[in-house]
Amino acid sequence: MTVFKFTAKNGRIDYIVTNKENPTREYVKSIMDARWSVEVYHREVKQNCGIERCQARTSRAQRNHIFSLFLRGLNNINVVYLKK
């Protein structure tokens, strides 16, 4: 097990633990950056698509809600395209 300490510019300290054999600091940083980009994506989806306000509880209802948002997005693209 290897522990890495990362200090942010604002002074926040993150400790990352891995069980990978002989990891480099650059490898761990690339994994952290990829993880952060997923977090940013989920935050933007929740804020911009209204997913966090969805009251659907079953997986089927959630898929239907997300698909309807996708179709609305396609509809908006078509409207913009037709206006040109």
Side-chain angles (χ1 to χ4, degrees):
M1 186 179 321
T2 307
V3 179
F4 290 91
K5 177 182 176 182
F6 291 93
T7 305
K9 291 178 184 176
N10 64 2
R12 190 181 93 193
I13 298 173
D14 288 336
Y15 294 96
I16 306 298
V17 179
T18 181
N19 59 356
K20 182 166 174 60
E21 296 278 335
N22 301 319
T24 64
R25 187 172 181 82
E26 291 76 27
Y27 171 78
V28 173
K29 175 125 175 54
S30 70
I31 297 297
M32 286 176 50
D33 291 343
R35 187 190 76 189
W36 182 248
S37 66
V38 170
E39 292 289 335
V40 169
Y41 170 78
H42 282 110
R43 183 189 61 205
E44 289 175 355
V45 165
K46 286 183 353 183
Q47 289 176 349
N48 296 328
C49 296
I51 290 176
E52 66 183 1
R53 293 187 303 271
C54 176
Q55 295 299 313
R57 295 294 177 240
T58 65
S59 60
R60 171 106 182 167
Q62 290 172 355
R63 284 192 306 268
N64 289 343
H65 177 72
I66 292 169
F67 186 68
S68 71
L69 293 171
F70 173 73
L71 288 179
R72 267 190 249 157
L74 285 180
N75 190 26
N76 290 339
I77 290 170
N78 292 335
V79 169
V80 171
Y81 179 73
L82 292 174
K83 287 181 180 179
K84 287 184 178 179

